[in-house]
Amino acid sequence: MAKTLDLTPPASIKWWRDARFGMFIHWGIYSVPAGTWKGKRIPSIGEWIMYNAKMSIPEYAALAGVFNPVKFDADEWVSIAKRAGMKYLVITSKHHDGFAMFHSPSNPYNIVDATPYGKDLMKALAKACRKHGLKLCFYYSQAQDWHAPGGAGHWDEVDGGWWKPLVKPEPFAKYLKDKVKPQVKELLTQYGPVGLIWFDTPVAITREQSLDLRRFVHKLQPNCLVSGRVGHDVGDYGSLGDNQIPSGPVKGDWETPATLNDTWGYKSYDHNWKSVQTLLDLLVDLASKGVNYLLNVGPTSAGIIPKPSVSRLLKIGEWMDINGEAIHGSSASPFPYEFDWGRMTAKGKRLYLLLPKWRSTLKINGLRNKVKKATLLADPRRRVKVCQTHDAATDFHTLTLNLGGKRAGKYISVVALDLDGPAKVETLPLQQPSGTVVLPVYMAGLHSAGGAPALAINRAGLLDNLKGPQSSVTWDFKLAQPGEYEAKVVIGCPHHGGKAGDGQRVVLTLGDHKLRGVLKADEKVEGARTQYFPEFAASLGRIRLDQSGTLHAELKAEEAPNGLALASVHLAPAKRG
Ligand code: JFZ
């Protein structure tokens, strides 16, 4: 029996929870080739160029000899992050290439000893962070190291092909002892207080080794947090997939690392920049689910954050200057589902309604508090008329806000609602004022029987193991308007590039009605959230719901040998004709 482990994060996690928004910086000698090697554009993310271009260790290490970021200005970088409303900064101190971007007395493969630049710029960055009040944090690739013997993915670990992140236990343990621990100690002793260490890609690290690293960090700096990618879920907070937006609220402390374009490390020809609107949509979506947004910049080898990144961050900053209180120190929406009009965050007795599209009237169902006041953050003097009603027959509370015809503020308008107390909301899925009903899988009852594998929701918010008729997914939900509805099943791809709808046969039961359907992924769900993790809506046809009040729904897979990555069931009023 293993001893019960105390994995409580240090109390310092409070700063991290309040921050909600941070800057990721992927910077290393991979910024020299910037995505091109020997005249060829190397596909995929820039910091993986050594691996993807199959460079030898000496070939790659020679890049250090020309790395000279003379334009680097720590104060400039930190003030960009600060102006954007970011509260912490996580910079790659050593990525998978094994090159240390800080002075490492224990290993000469570092910026001071191996580049013409020859200075420890992390010192300057630490100073600038202190000056501007941001937390300095370090990314450190603890398992993958393509340079050091024993590191995962090292040249020596070739197994019948090119590198694979193989780990031979003994050399790996030696690598942890000789390179990782001395360097982590340097990071935690040379730069003053460190907010967190962002370990990554645990590969084949053992649980004991992950725990050992966690203890090592906490011993050197008790307030320093450890990222979830240290491995085996023993970090102080969790890390979602890159650019992953969960479909609903997540329990515990989570962060999504995300890119401004499609690379982390600088690539001279990646111009696929997300718009300011998309970036703010993502920030707000994550905040409404209680998730931190760690947004990346990839500086050039000269030491410059690309202009398209800076201009976007500064526009985000202008929005944050007005609306930041809806993000910083906020917690997830008390409503456990997405609204079709926007998103919500909460703070004490305040709710923030975040509207990407303006509407003169906004209705919300299910809020049981009295609203004392409603204010538009971008136009605090405008009078917002508040009307609250309660329908006794259906027990629907409806709040109606009259916002006025003219949009207040850019990108996402924010309404602050002052309540008579902490929010009290209806916890069942409710028909929305637009008429739609969303039944998310994470609000469902999950039932498996007859030896079927247990249904579970994975960290992408999708259902695992719905394969046959022994299992079922059920909801109670509240309907206000009887009528004819069109039912859709929304499914995701469990894996990048995976197939969503592949002929699964499902049956949806609503009261006495049954709807059967075969899922072909016909309709891609649009939106910022589904850019990297697509979702599809498959129509099951129409159904009549004759009664208002609390109804019961059940979804089963009659046949789905490869599973059905259910996200939600949607009901929308059927269009006449
Ligand atoms: C890792 C790195 O390999 C990559 O270079 C970058 O630093 C990124 C932030 O992290 O890549 C990952 C790690 C985990 C997932 C995806 C990409 N994941 O869990 O989905």
Side-chain angles (χ1 to χ4, degrees):
M1 258 284 294
K3 267 187 290 177
T4 41
L5 255 172
D6 184 12
L7 290 174
T8 315
S12 55
I13 194 149
K14 168 103 171 67
W15 75 257
W16 183 90
R17 286 180 186 144
D18 286 346
R20 278 291 172 260
F21 190 29
M23 177 182 270
F24 214 170
I25 304 177
H26 273 70
W27 198 34
I29 57 177
Y30 40 79
S31 62
V32 173
T36 304
W37 187 242
K38 294 188 174 157
K40 276 208 196 97
R41 289 183 170 191
I42 307 300
S44 189
I45 41 186
E47 71 283 6
W48 275 71
I49 193 164
M50 177 181 179
Y51 189 100
N52 290 327
K54 307 190 174 189
M55 294 159 78
S56 70
I57 289 175
E59 237 177 348
Y60 186 81
L63 295 171
V66 294
F67 184 73
N68 195 13
V70 290
K71 301 242 169 88
F72 169 75
D73 179 345
D75 209 71
E76 170 83 14
W77 285 18
V78 176
S79 58
I80 291 168
K82 180 171 179 145
R83 284 163 69 190
M86 294 161 152
K87 301 290 187 187
Y88 59 120
L89 191 144
V90 184
I91 183 164
T92 46
S93 67
K94 186 202 84 167
H95 206 268
H96 310 333
D97 64 356
F99 187 77
M101 291 291 284
F102 60 102
H103 184 218
S104 175
S106 66
N107 189 307
Y109 196 47
N110 73 71
I111 189 166
V112 172
D113 298 313
T115 74
Y117 185 69
K119 286 185 288 259
D120 187 355
L121 41 75
M122 296 302 181
K123 286 238 160 84
L125 216 45
K127 200 171 146 207
C129 281
R130 272 198 293 277
K131 177 177 151 197
H132 292 287
L134 271 81
K135 296 276 182 191
L136 174 73
C137 311
F138 292 119
Y139 173 107
Y140 188 90
S141 176
Q142 80 280 23
Q144 281 195 81
D145 190 310
W146 307 329
H147 185 88
H154 185 263
W155 178 273
D156 291 343
E157 309 294 320
V158 176
D159 177 33
W162 191 245
W163 296 329
K164 291 196 187 120
L166 291 182
V167 173
K168 291 193 189 124
E170 267 163 43
F172 184 70
K174 190 165 176 335
Y175 150 78
L176 285 178
K177 182 168 147 283
D178 294 347
K179 183 163 183 182
V180 175
K181 285 181 127 185
Q183 289 199 327
V184 168
K185 182 166 181 189
E186 287 157 6
L187 291 171
L188 292 170
T189 50
Q190 294 176 172
Y191 308 98
V194 174
L196 61 90
I197 304 271
W198 216 93
F199 293 111
D200 195 11
T201 64
V203 197
I205 198 168
T206 67
R207 183 174 150 85
E208 200 33 62
Q209 287 166 335
S210 294
L211 282 169
D212 187 46
L213 269 181
R214 175 196 163 96
R215 277 190 295 262
F216 190 67
V217 170
H218 286 164
K219 198 162 161 217
L220 287 162
Q221 286 203 21
N223 291 326
C224 181
L225 306 173
V226 171
S227 79
R229 293 190 188 179
V230 71
H232 304 278
D233 293 325
V234 303
D236 292 316
Y237 67 90
S239 186
L240 291 166
D242 299 359
N243 290 303
Q244 184 171 42
I245 317 291
S247 57
V250 288
K251 283 199 200 86
D253 296 305
W254 292 86
E255 172 184 72
T256 290
T259 51
L260 272 166
N261 47 2
D262 290 315
T263 184
W264 305 90
Y266 179 65
K267 275 178 100 174
S268 62
Y269 50 89
D270 183 340
H271 305 301
N272 192 25
W273 303 103
K274 292 171 185 66
S275 67
V276 176
Q277 183 71 53
T278 296
L279 296 166
L280 284 173
D281 285 349
L282 293 172
L283 170 69
V284 157
D285 195 346
L286 288 167
S288 78
K289 291 158 185 167
V291 179
N292 280 15
Y293 189 36
L294 185 61
L295 184 57
N296 182 70
V297 297
T300 68
S301 61
I304 289 178
I305 301 178
K307 267 215 180 78
S309 303
V310 177
S311 62
R312 282 162 178 76
L313 294 178
L314 296 185
K315 291 224 172 76
I316 290 175
E318 285 169 22
W319 183 87
M320 286 291 243
D321 285 343
I322 296 168
N323 303 295
E325 63 161 286
I327 305 294
H328 299 135
S330 71
S331 45
S333 165
F335 290 87
Y337 43 81
E338 294 180 343
F339 295 107
D340 44 18
W341 49 261
R343 294 291 180 268
M344 191 184 285
T345 61
K347 198 189 279 181
K349 297 187 205 168
R350 261 195 162 191
L351 291 179
Y352 297 96
L353 322 182
L354 302 120
L355 288 95
K357 290 213 176 72
W358 185 254
R359 47 181 78 213
S360 51
T361 309
L362 176 64
K363 281 181 190 277
I364 295 170
N365 286 342
L367 181 64
R368 294 176 169 275
N369 299 76
K370 176 155 177 36
V371 176
K372 295 166 91 176
K373 199 174 161 213
T375 318
L376 278 157
L377 295 189
D379 188 0
R381 276 185 296 201
R382 191 184 306 188
R383 219 174 84 83
V384 177
K385 229 184 95 197
V386 179
C387 172
Q388 292 186 278
T389 58
H390 178 246
D391 182 77
T394 53
D395 189 27
F396 261 71
H397 291 263
T398 301
L399 164 69
T400 307
L401 300 173
N402 242 301
L403 302 175
K406 207 172 137 254
R407 162 162 217 149
K410 272 174 105 172
Y411 304 117
I412 296 176
S413 307
V414 181
V415 186
L417 292 185
D418 289 308
L419 310 181
D420 57 357
K424 290 187 297 252
V425 309
E426 177 74 61
T427 51
L428 292 183
L430 293 181
Q431 182 163 35
Q432 294 299 298
S434 64
T436 61
V437 184
V438 179
L439 306 175
V441 70
Y442 54 86
M443 290 177 84
L446 306 178
H447 319 272
S448 357
L455 296 181
I457 294 172
N458 62 35
R459 66 176 192 177
L462 302 172
L463 190 63
D464 282 338
N465 294 333
L466 184 61
K467 295 184 171 176
Q470 301 96 328
S471 307
S472 65
V473 184
T474 59
W475 296 266
D476 285 326
F477 67 97
K478 281 171 77 172
L479 194 77
Q481 285 292 322
E484 175 116 323
Y485 286 85
E486 157 129 26
K488 279 181 185 168
V489 174
V490 179
I491 47 189
C493 297
H495 312 290
H496 266 286
K499 267 200 355 204
D502 60 356
Q504 301 100 326
R505 290 200 295 125
V506 299
V507 53
L508 176 70
T509 310
L510 279 158
D512 308 330
H513 304 276
K514 278 192 197 302
L515 270 184
R516 290 199 151 75
V518 177
L519 296 185
K520 298 180 290 293
D522 16 21
E523 203 185 290
K524 201 163 182 256
V525 177
E526 295 300 328
R529 180 159 82 69
T530 51
Q531 191 183 354
Y532 290 85
F533 293 82
E535 287 179 7
F536 299 87
S539 180
L540 294 181
R542 290 180 174 199
I543 199 162
R544 245 210 102 72
L545 301 175
D546 304 314
Q547 271 174 20
S548 61
T550 302
L551 304 185
H552 186 77
E554 180 200 72
L555 187 84
K556 280 187 171 188
E558 294 187 310
E559 203 184 311
N562 298 321
L564 173 74
L566 182 71
S568 56
V569 170
H570 280 228
L571 302 173
K575 292 191 189 80
R576 276 167 218 284

